[in-house]
Amino acid sequence: MTTKQFLSGACMAALIMGTLVIQGQNVDAAIKKVYVTKGESAIIKVKKAKKKTKWKVSNSKIAKVKSGKKSVVVKGKKKGNTTVSAKIAKKKVKYKIIVETPKISHKSITLKVGETTRVVLSGTKRFVKWQEEDMDIAEVNAITGEISAIKEGTTAVYAKVGKKKYSCQVTVKANTPDAKEAAANHSSDTKKAEDSASEPKKTGSGVLDPVPDGYLTEIKEKGTVTTVEYEGTQANGAKVKKRAYVYLPYGYDAKKQYDIVYFLHGGEGDTLAYLGTDSRPGQVKIMLDHMILKGDIKPMIAVAPTYYTSKSDGADMGNAISKIQNFTKKELVNDLIPAVEGKYSTYAKTTDLSGLKESRDHRGYAGFSMGSLSAWYTFLNSSDYFHFIMPMSGDCWVNGSSNANKAAEQLEAYCKEKEYRQDDFFIYAVTGSKDIAYSAMKAQIDAMKTKSPSFVFTEQGAGTGNISFKVEPNAEHSFVYLPIYLYNGLRAYFK
Ligand code: FER
């Protein structure tokens, strides 16, 4: 078991009935579903069991179980659903097992420099993570599987679900008229599959306001997405070349001053997650165009950087956490913000620490999942430079795992040390009731509710308290909720 799997398991630990489930994204403890790929195994740990528990599987053609002393190993044999059950401390415990056989839509594709396409992994309800082999040749959006061809050469992209990787070879050809095969690989069926795979969720259930109709369709009054390259200083002092995508609003005018928000991706995600690129804009970018045009928020700049130095950083949770610590403590303020705000016009009159402090009311930080961890850490490490913090679906880990009371104590101690009052910061925390982060986040928020006057909870947005917590009914741990979370969170602060 990797550290990452352990930690993802640990953060779901506010568990059901003494069973502790391991295997990260494969297991949805809240609804007791276990996903497993045919040929692979998932482990369900039984915390309270004093003696060996005997587990039964209802359809042994679909899955095989092996009861251990404090765990059961479920191996997927055939695509389909079944259940496993056992009696623990006189209570019946049951899990639904879903055995999947994921399939990649293309084993190889050819693109011209500058072109983009998308490869789809079908046959899974789990969260798929994409990774490229050589980002100088082709970049893949970690979440949507969208591939952008950068320069001539051959490389590969991988979709990862469970322990398995599904690969697609990518050949990038020069942008000449004889290299036209690219789009030919892209059938209309694939197009349909990718559209539904990444369908953003727009409609709220009364807790959040829905994203208004039309807000996710491109308009002509659109902002641009550009890139900023900078050197990120690592914990050991090494300088690493980094790239961030920057959204400039429609009609951007260097003589004006703009609010700015930094958007951080989740575990094994990347800089394309929110804004996409100028030629293939992301949902959040398109929504920002509408929100600004309609006056929901003032025109603003948005930045999509990464706390990783390489995408494989995410594979090891301990390493990911130390990268997040360094990013939120140092790189953000010393390297990234000066590079972006030195180039584009924000409220920072200077990009040294005093200039960034003075402009903190006009700066926000939002992150999803591991990016949410980075948002809590930005509060604890760099709140001198950010007034607005938006953690989405992730709690504030203490020493690498969820600990609601300790997190609340740490956050309160920090507020006291800073002598923060009600108007000195604004946290908009949000998640879904079916999100794997829900129980840990809710526990942390409940603990924070006992820490008054440091935390003043409000339903109404900035100015009426310093923290909001919203739970979208039925929402799972998925980037498809980014538009609705941000539509609500950004308006709560940047009106
Ligand atoms: C959390 C639940 C899940 C959380 C992070 C995750 C920081 C990340 C999961 C992953 O990257 O697989 O509460 O808090």
mmCIF file with all atom_site columns, all heavy atoms in Angstrom, residues 4 8 11 25 129 266-267 317 369-370 372-373 393-395 397 402 436-437 440 477, ligand 1:
data_model
loop_
_atom_site.group_PDB
_atom_site.id
_atom_site.type_symbol
_atom_site.label_atom_id
_atom_site.label_alt_id
_atom_site.label_comp_id
_atom_site.label_asym_id
_atom_site.label_entity_id
_atom_site.label_seq_id
_atom_site.pdbx_PDB_ins_code
_atom_site.Cartn_x
_atom_site.Cartn_y
_atom_site.Cartn_z
_atom_site.occupancy
_atom_site.B_iso_or_equiv
_atom_site.pdbx_formal_charge
_atom_site.auth_seq_id
_atom_site.auth_comp_id
_atom_site.auth_asym_id
_atom_site.auth_atom_id
_atom_site.pdbx_PDB_model_num
ATOM   1   N N   . LYS A 1 4   ? -0.065  7.276  -0.247  1.00 0.00 ? 4   LYS A N   1
ATOM   2   C CA  . LYS A 1 4   ? -1.241  7.988  -0.741  1.00 0.00 ? 4   LYS A CA  1
ATOM   3   C C   . LYS A 1 4   ? -2.522  7.198  -0.450  1.00 0.00 ? 4   LYS A C   1
ATOM   4   O O   . LYS A 1 4   ? -3.494  7.743  0.038   1.00 0.00 ? 4   LYS A O   1
ATOM   5   C CB  . LYS A 1 4   ? -1.112  8.178  -2.243  1.00 0.00 ? 4   LYS A CB  1
ATOM   6   C CG  . LYS A 1 4   ? -2.300  8.889  -2.830  1.00 0.00 ? 4   LYS A CG  1
ATOM   7   C CD  . LYS A 1 4   ? -2.139  8.989  -4.321  1.00 0.00 ? 4   LYS A CD  1
ATOM   8   C CE  . LYS A 1 4   ? -3.453  9.407  -4.933  1.00 0.00 ? 4   LYS A CE  1
ATOM   9   N NZ  . LYS A 1 4   ? -3.787  10.764 -4.628  1.00 0.00 ? 4   LYS A NZ  1
ATOM   10  N N   . SER A 1 8   ? -5.473  8.594  1.839   1.00 0.00 ? 8   SER A N   1
ATOM   11  C CA  . SER A 1 8   ? -6.827  8.793  1.314   1.00 0.00 ? 8   SER A CA  1
ATOM   12  C C   . SER A 1 8   ? -7.786  7.963  2.136   1.00 0.00 ? 8   SER A C   1
ATOM   13  O O   . SER A 1 8   ? -8.883  8.384  2.447   1.00 0.00 ? 8   SER A O   1
ATOM   14  C CB  . SER A 1 8   ? -6.923  8.377  -0.143  1.00 0.00 ? 8   SER A CB  1
ATOM   15  O OG  . SER A 1 8   ? -6.036  9.152  -0.884  1.00 0.00 ? 8   SER A OG  1
ATOM   16  N N   . CYS A 1 11  ? -8.368  9.662  5.500   1.00 0.00 ? 11  CYS A N   1
ATOM   17  C CA  . CYS A 1 11  ? -9.221  10.841 5.572   1.00 0.00 ? 11  CYS A CA  1
ATOM   18  C C   . CYS A 1 11  ? -10.691 10.478 5.425   1.00 0.00 ? 11  CYS A C   1
ATOM   19  O O   . CYS A 1 11  ? -11.565 11.296 5.664   1.00 0.00 ? 11  CYS A O   1
ATOM   20  C CB  . CYS A 1 11  ? -8.805  11.934 4.607   1.00 0.00 ? 11  CYS A CB  1
ATOM   21  S SG  . CYS A 1 11  ? -8.552  11.410 2.984   1.00 0.00 ? 11  CYS A SG  1
ATOM   22  N N   . GLN A 1 25  ? -9.461  6.135  -3.710  1.00 0.00 ? 25  GLN A N   1
ATOM   23  C CA  . GLN A 1 25  ? -10.619 6.463  -4.535  1.00 0.00 ? 25  GLN A CA  1
ATOM   24  C C   . GLN A 1 25  ? -11.444 5.243  -4.944  1.00 0.00 ? 25  GLN A C   1
ATOM   25  O O   . GLN A 1 25  ? -12.502 5.374  -5.525  1.00 0.00 ? 25  GLN A O   1
ATOM   26  C CB  . GLN A 1 25  ? -10.150 7.196  -5.776  1.00 0.00 ? 25  GLN A CB  1
ATOM   27  C CG  . GLN A 1 25  ? -9.142  6.391  -6.550  1.00 0.00 ? 25  GLN A CG  1
ATOM   28  C CD  . GLN A 1 25  ? -9.009  6.881  -7.969  1.00 0.00 ? 25  GLN A CD  1
ATOM   29  O OE1 . GLN A 1 25  ? -9.963  7.339  -8.563  1.00 0.00 ? 25  GLN A OE1 1
ATOM   30  N NE2 . GLN A 1 25  ? -7.829  6.787  -8.530  1.00 0.00 ? 25  GLN A NE2 1
ATOM   31  N N   . LYS A 1 129 ? -7.380  9.595  -13.611 1.00 0.00 ? 129 LYS A N   1
ATOM   32  C CA  . LYS A 1 129 ? -6.320  10.609 -13.635 1.00 0.00 ? 129 LYS A CA  1
ATOM   33  C C   . LYS A 1 129 ? -5.420  10.390 -14.840 1.00 0.00 ? 129 LYS A C   1
ATOM   34  O O   . LYS A 1 129 ? -4.970  9.285  -15.078 1.00 0.00 ? 129 LYS A O   1
ATOM   35  C CB  . LYS A 1 129 ? -5.507  10.547 -12.346 1.00 0.00 ? 129 LYS A CB  1
ATOM   36  C CG  . LYS A 1 129 ? -6.286  11.096 -11.172 1.00 0.00 ? 129 LYS A CG  1
ATOM   37  C CD  . LYS A 1 129 ? -5.537  10.978 -9.879  1.00 0.00 ? 129 LYS A CD  1
ATOM   38  C CE  . LYS A 1 129 ? -6.386  11.576 -8.767  1.00 0.00 ? 129 LYS A CE  1
ATOM   39  N NZ  . LYS A 1 129 ? -5.813  11.326 -7.450  1.00 0.00 ? 129 LYS A NZ  1
ATOM   40  N N   . GLY A 1 266 ? -6.274  19.434 -7.993  1.00 0.00 ? 266 GLY A N   1
ATOM   41  C CA  . GLY A 1 266 ? -6.253  18.368 -6.989  1.00 0.00 ? 266 GLY A CA  1
ATOM   42  C C   . GLY A 1 266 ? -5.124  17.373 -7.200  1.00 0.00 ? 266 GLY A C   1
ATOM   43  O O   . GLY A 1 266 ? -4.248  17.585 -8.047  1.00 0.00 ? 266 GLY A O   1
ATOM   44  N N   . GLY A 1 267 ? -5.177  16.276 -6.437  1.00 0.00 ? 267 GLY A N   1
ATOM   45  C CA  . GLY A 1 267 ? -4.116  15.271 -6.468  1.00 0.00 ? 267 GLY A CA  1
ATOM   46  C C   . GLY A 1 267 ? -3.849  14.772 -7.875  1.00 0.00 ? 267 GLY A C   1
ATOM   47  O O   . GLY A 1 267 ? -4.766  14.344 -8.566  1.00 0.00 ? 267 GLY A O   1
ATOM   48  N N   . MET A 1 317 ? 2.040   10.579 -1.474  1.00 0.00 ? 317 MET A N   1
ATOM   49  C CA  . MET A 1 317 ? 1.322   11.595 -0.709  1.00 0.00 ? 317 MET A CA  1
ATOM   50  C C   . MET A 1 317 ? 2.250   12.430 0.174   1.00 0.00 ? 317 MET A C   1
ATOM   51  O O   . MET A 1 317 ? 2.080   13.630 0.298   1.00 0.00 ? 317 MET A O   1
ATOM   52  C CB  . MET A 1 317 ? 0.232   10.915 0.116   1.00 0.00 ? 317 MET A CB  1
ATOM   53  C CG  . MET A 1 317 ? -0.816  11.849 0.614   1.00 0.00 ? 317 MET A CG  1
ATOM   54  S SD  . MET A 1 317 ? -1.611  12.818 -0.678  1.00 0.00 ? 317 MET A SD  1
ATOM   55  C CE  . MET A 1 317 ? -3.134  11.907 -0.862  1.00 0.00 ? 317 MET A CE  1
ATOM   56  N N   . SER A 1 369 ? -9.820  19.512 -3.522  1.00 0.00 ? 369 SER A N   1
ATOM   57  C CA  . SER A 1 369 ? -9.214  18.252 -3.075  1.00 0.00 ? 369 SER A CA  1
ATOM   58  C C   . SER A 1 369 ? -7.824  18.489 -2.459  1.00 0.00 ? 369 SER A C   1
ATOM   59  O O   . SER A 1 369 ? -7.727  19.170 -1.456  1.00 0.00 ? 369 SER A O   1
ATOM   60  C CB  . SER A 1 369 ? -9.187  17.262 -4.241  1.00 0.00 ? 369 SER A CB  1
ATOM   61  O OG  . SER A 1 369 ? -8.842  15.983 -3.783  1.00 0.00 ? 369 SER A OG  1
ATOM   62  N N   . MET A 1 370 ? -6.749  18.002 -3.073  1.00 0.00 ? 370 MET A N   1
ATOM   63  C CA  . MET A 1 370 ? -5.433  18.333 -2.515  1.00 0.00 ? 370 MET A CA  1
ATOM   64  C C   . MET A 1 370 ? -5.188  19.839 -2.635  1.00 0.00 ? 370 MET A C   1
ATOM   65  O O   . MET A 1 370 ? -4.448  20.426 -1.853  1.00 0.00 ? 370 MET A O   1
ATOM   66  C CB  . MET A 1 370 ? -4.321  17.550 -3.224  1.00 0.00 ? 370 MET A CB  1
ATOM   67  C CG  . MET A 1 370 ? -4.314  16.070 -2.906  1.00 0.00 ? 370 MET A CG  1
ATOM   68  S SD  . MET A 1 370 ? -4.162  15.746 -1.135  1.00 0.00 ? 370 MET A SD  1
ATOM   69  C CE  . MET A 1 370 ? -2.417  16.060 -0.895  1.00 0.00 ? 370 MET A CE  1
ATOM   70  N N   . SER A 1 372 ? -7.447  21.907 -2.031  1.00 0.00 ? 372 SER A N   1
ATOM   71  C CA  . SER A 1 372 ? -8.149  22.418 -0.858  1.00 0.00 ? 372 SER A CA  1
ATOM   72  C C   . SER A 1 372 ? -7.210  22.378 0.350   1.00 0.00 ? 372 SER A C   1
ATOM   73  O O   . SER A 1 372 ? -7.164  23.311 1.158   1.00 0.00 ? 372 SER A O   1
ATOM   74  C CB  . SER A 1 372 ? -9.393  21.573 -0.606  1.00 0.00 ? 372 SER A CB  1
ATOM   75  O OG  . SER A 1 372 ? -10.110 22.046 0.506   1.00 0.00 ? 372 SER A OG  1
ATOM   76  N N   . LEU A 1 373 ? -6.449  21.292 0.443   1.00 0.00 ? 373 LEU A N   1
ATOM   77  C CA  . LEU A 1 373 ? -5.422  21.230 1.497   1.00 0.00 ? 373 LEU A CA  1
ATOM   78  C C   . LEU A 1 373 ? -4.498  22.442 1.346   1.00 0.00 ? 373 LEU A C   1
ATOM   79  O O   . LEU A 1 373 ? -4.164  23.123 2.313   1.00 0.00 ? 373 LEU A O   1
ATOM   80  C CB  . LEU A 1 373 ? -4.613  19.934 1.367   1.00 0.00 ? 373 LEU A CB  1
ATOM   81  C CG  . LEU A 1 373 ? -3.523  19.739 2.422   1.00 0.00 ? 373 LEU A CG  1
ATOM   82  C CD1 . LEU A 1 373 ? -4.138  19.367 3.760   1.00 0.00 ? 373 LEU A CD1 1
ATOM   83  C CD2 . LEU A 1 373 ? -2.525  18.669 1.990   1.00 0.00 ? 373 LEU A CD2 1
ATOM   84  N N   . SER A 1 393 ? -13.754 20.729 -1.029  1.00 0.00 ? 393 SER A N   1
ATOM   85  C CA  . SER A 1 393 ? -13.630 19.277 -0.890  1.00 0.00 ? 393 SER A CA  1
ATOM   86  C C   . SER A 1 393 ? -12.260 18.799 -0.427  1.00 0.00 ? 393 SER A C   1
ATOM   87  O O   . SER A 1 393 ? -11.593 18.019 -1.116  1.00 0.00 ? 393 SER A O   1
ATOM   88  C CB  . SER A 1 393 ? -14.004 18.580 -2.208  1.00 0.00 ? 393 SER A CB  1
ATOM   89  O OG  . SER A 1 393 ? -15.353 18.817 -2.476  1.00 0.00 ? 393 SER A OG  1
ATOM   90  N N   . GLY A 1 394 ? -11.859 19.264 0.723   1.00 0.00 ? 394 GLY A N   1
ATOM   91  C CA  . GLY A 1 394 ? -10.616 18.790 1.329   1.00 0.00 ? 394 GLY A CA  1
ATOM   92  C C   . GLY A 1 394 ? -10.454 19.465 2.670   1.00 0.00 ? 394 GLY A C   1
ATOM   93  O O   . GLY A 1 394 ? -10.794 20.643 2.814   1.00 0.00 ? 394 GLY A O   1
ATOM   94  N N   . ASP A 1 395 ? -9.993  18.722 3.653   1.00 0.00 ? 395 ASP A N   1
ATOM   95  C CA  . ASP A 1 395 ? -9.841  19.299 4.990   1.00 0.00 ? 395 ASP A CA  1
ATOM   96  C C   . ASP A 1 395 ? -8.386  19.665 5.251   1.00 0.00 ? 395 ASP A C   1
ATOM   97  O O   . ASP A 1 395 ? -7.516  19.441 4.411   1.00 0.00 ? 395 ASP A O   1
ATOM   98  C CB  . ASP A 1 395 ? -10.391 18.342 6.057   1.00 0.00 ? 395 ASP A CB  1
ATOM   99  C CG  . ASP A 1 395 ? -9.721  16.984 6.039   1.00 0.00 ? 395 ASP A CG  1
ATOM   100 O OD1 . ASP A 1 395 ? -9.569  16.403 4.941   1.00 0.00 ? 395 ASP A OD1 1
ATOM   101 O OD2 . ASP A 1 395 ? -9.346  16.497 7.114   1.00 0.00 ? 395 ASP A OD2 1
ATOM   102 N N   . TRP A 1 397 ? -5.275  18.864 6.841   1.00 0.00 ? 397 TRP A N   1
ATOM   103 C CA  . TRP A 1 397 ? -4.589  17.756 7.505   1.00 0.00 ? 397 TRP A CA  1
ATOM   104 C C   . TRP A 1 397 ? -3.551  18.279 8.491   1.00 0.00 ? 397 TRP A C   1
ATOM   105 O O   . TRP A 1 397 ? -2.902  19.302 8.246   1.00 0.00 ? 397 TRP A O   1
ATOM   106 C CB  . TRP A 1 397 ? -3.898  16.856 6.476   1.00 0.00 ? 397 TRP A CB  1
ATOM   107 C CG  . TRP A 1 397 ? -4.852  16.095 5.615   1.00 0.00 ? 397 TRP A CG  1
ATOM   108 C CD1 . TRP A 1 397 ? -6.204  15.972 5.787   1.00 0.00 ? 397 TRP A CD1 1
ATOM   109 C CD2 . TRP A 1 397 ? -4.528  15.353 4.427   1.00 0.00 ? 397 TRP A CD2 1
ATOM   110 N NE1 . TRP A 1 397 ? -6.732  15.183 4.776   1.00 0.00 ? 397 TRP A NE1 1
ATOM   111 C CE2 . TRP A 1 397 ? -5.733  14.799 3.938   1.00 0.00 ? 397 TRP A CE2 1
ATOM   112 C CE3 . TRP A 1 397 ? -3.344  15.097 3.731   1.00 0.00 ? 397 TRP A CE3 1
ATOM   113 C CZ2 . TRP A 1 397 ? -5.774  14.009 2.791   1.00 0.00 ? 397 TRP A CZ2 1
ATOM   114 C CZ3 . TRP A 1 397 ? -3.382  14.310 2.592   1.00 0.00 ? 397 TRP A CZ3 1
ATOM   115 C CH2 . TRP A 1 397 ? -4.594  13.778 2.131   1.00 0.00 ? 397 TRP A CH2 1
ATOM   116 N N   . SER A 1 402 ? -6.242  13.562 8.516   1.00 0.00 ? 402 SER A N   1
ATOM   117 C CA  . SER A 1 402 ? -7.360  14.326 9.073   1.00 0.00 ? 402 SER A CA  1
ATOM   118 C C   . SER A 1 402 ? -7.350  14.247 10.587  1.00 0.00 ? 402 SER A C   1
ATOM   119 O O   . SER A 1 402 ? -7.185  13.165 11.154  1.00 0.00 ? 402 SER A O   1
ATOM   120 C CB  . SER A 1 402 ? -8.682  13.742 8.582   1.00 0.00 ? 402 SER A CB  1
ATOM   121 O OG  . SER A 1 402 ? -8.739  13.822 7.187   1.00 0.00 ? 402 SER A OG  1
ATOM   122 N N   . ILE A 1 436 ? -15.977 12.224 -0.855  1.00 0.00 ? 436 ILE A N   1
ATOM   123 C CA  . ILE A 1 436 ? -15.128 11.472 0.081   1.00 0.00 ? 436 ILE A CA  1
ATOM   124 C C   . ILE A 1 436 ? -14.521 12.387 1.145   1.00 0.00 ? 436 ILE A C   1
ATOM   125 O O   . ILE A 1 436 ? -14.067 11.925 2.176   1.00 0.00 ? 436 ILE A O   1
ATOM   126 C CB  . ILE A 1 436 ? -13.975 10.701 -0.629  1.00 0.00 ? 436 ILE A CB  1
ATOM   127 C CG1 . ILE A 1 436 ? -13.162 11.637 -1.522  1.00 0.00 ? 436 ILE A CG1 1
ATOM   128 C CG2 . ILE A 1 436 ? -14.507 9.524  -1.423  1.00 0.00 ? 436 ILE A CG2 1
ATOM   129 C CD1 . ILE A 1 436 ? -11.845 11.042 -1.982  1.00 0.00 ? 436 ILE A CD1 1
ATOM   130 N N   . ALA A 1 437 ? -14.506 13.700 0.877   1.00 0.00 ? 437 ALA A N   1
ATOM   131 C CA  . ALA A 1 437 ? -13.952 14.641 1.860   1.00 0.00 ? 437 ALA A CA  1
ATOM   132 C C   . ALA A 1 437 ? -15.017 15.099 2.864   1.00 0.00 ? 437 ALA A C   1
ATOM   133 O O   . ALA A 1 437 ? -14.691 15.776 3.841   1.00 0.00 ? 437 ALA A O   1
ATOM   134 C CB  . ALA A 1 437 ? -13.371 15.857 1.139   1.00 0.00 ? 437 ALA A CB  1
ATOM   135 N N   . ALA A 1 440 ? -14.743 14.278 6.885   1.00 0.00 ? 440 ALA A N   1
ATOM   136 C CA  . ALA A 1 440 ? -13.592 14.926 7.536   1.00 0.00 ? 440 ALA A CA  1
ATOM   137 C C   . ALA A 1 440 ? -13.762 16.447 7.551   1.00 0.00 ? 440 ALA A C   1
ATOM   138 O O   . ALA A 1 440 ? -13.442 17.124 8.532   1.00 0.00 ? 440 ALA A O   1
ATOM   139 C CB  . ALA A 1 440 ? -12.311 14.550 6.804   1.00 0.00 ? 440 ALA A CB  1
ATOM   140 N N   . HIS A 1 477 ? -17.040 13.607 -5.138  1.00 0.00 ? 477 HIS A N   1
ATOM   141 C CA  . HIS A 1 477 ? -15.697 14.216 -5.203  1.00 0.00 ? 477 HIS A CA  1
ATOM   142 C C   . HIS A 1 477 ? -15.298 14.359 -6.669  1.00 0.00 ? 477 HIS A C   1
ATOM   143 O O   . HIS A 1 477 ? -14.583 13.516 -7.213  1.00 0.00 ? 477 HIS A O   1
ATOM   144 C CB  . HIS A 1 477 ? -14.707 13.304 -4.471  1.00 0.00 ? 477 HIS A CB  1
ATOM   145 C CG  . HIS A 1 477 ? -13.408 13.969 -4.133  1.00 0.00 ? 477 HIS A CG  1
ATOM   146 N ND1 . HIS A 1 477 ? -13.297 14.948 -3.179  1.00 0.00 ? 477 HIS A ND1 1
ATOM   147 C CD2 . HIS A 1 477 ? -12.152 13.795 -4.616  1.00 0.00 ? 477 HIS A CD2 1
ATOM   148 C CE1 . HIS A 1 477 ? -12.050 15.339 -3.087  1.00 0.00 ? 477 HIS A CE1 1
ATOM   149 N NE2 . HIS A 1 477 ? -11.325 14.663 -3.945  1.00 0.00 ? 477 HIS A NE2 1
HETATM 150 C C1  . FER B 2 .   ? -9.893  14.945 1.565   1.00 0.00 ? 1   FER B C1  1
HETATM 151 C C2  . FER B 2 .   ? -10.327 13.913 0.769   1.00 0.00 ? 1   FER B C2  1
HETATM 152 C C3  . FER B 2 .   ? -9.587  13.529 -0.350  1.00 0.00 ? 1   FER B C3  1
HETATM 153 C C4  . FER B 2 .   ? -8.708  15.616 1.236   1.00 0.00 ? 1   FER B C4  1
HETATM 154 C C5  . FER B 2 .   ? -7.982  15.237 0.124   1.00 0.00 ? 1   FER B C5  1
HETATM 155 C C6  . FER B 2 .   ? -8.416  14.181 -0.672  1.00 0.00 ? 1   FER B C6  1
HETATM 156 C C7  . FER B 2 .   ? -7.199  17.358 1.835   1.00 0.00 ? 1   FER B C7  1
HETATM 157 C C8  . FER B 2 .   ? -7.590  13.803 -1.829  1.00 0.00 ? 1   FER B C8  1
HETATM 158 C C9  . FER B 2 .   ? -7.725  12.654 -2.502  1.00 0.00 ? 1   FER B C9  1
HETATM 159 C C10 . FER B 2 .   ? -6.858  12.296 -3.653  1.00 0.00 ? 1   FER B C10 1
HETATM 160 O O1  . FER B 2 .   ? -6.050  13.098 -4.112  1.00 0.00 ? 1   FER B O1  1
HETATM 161 O O2  . FER B 2 .   ? -7.011  11.174 -4.125  1.00 0.00 ? 1   FER B O2  1
HETATM 162 O O3  . FER B 2 .   ? -10.555 15.342 2.679   1.00 0.00 ? 1   FER B O3  1
HETATM 163 O O4  . FER B 2 .   ? -8.338  16.633 2.075   1.00 0.00 ? 1   FER B O4  1
#
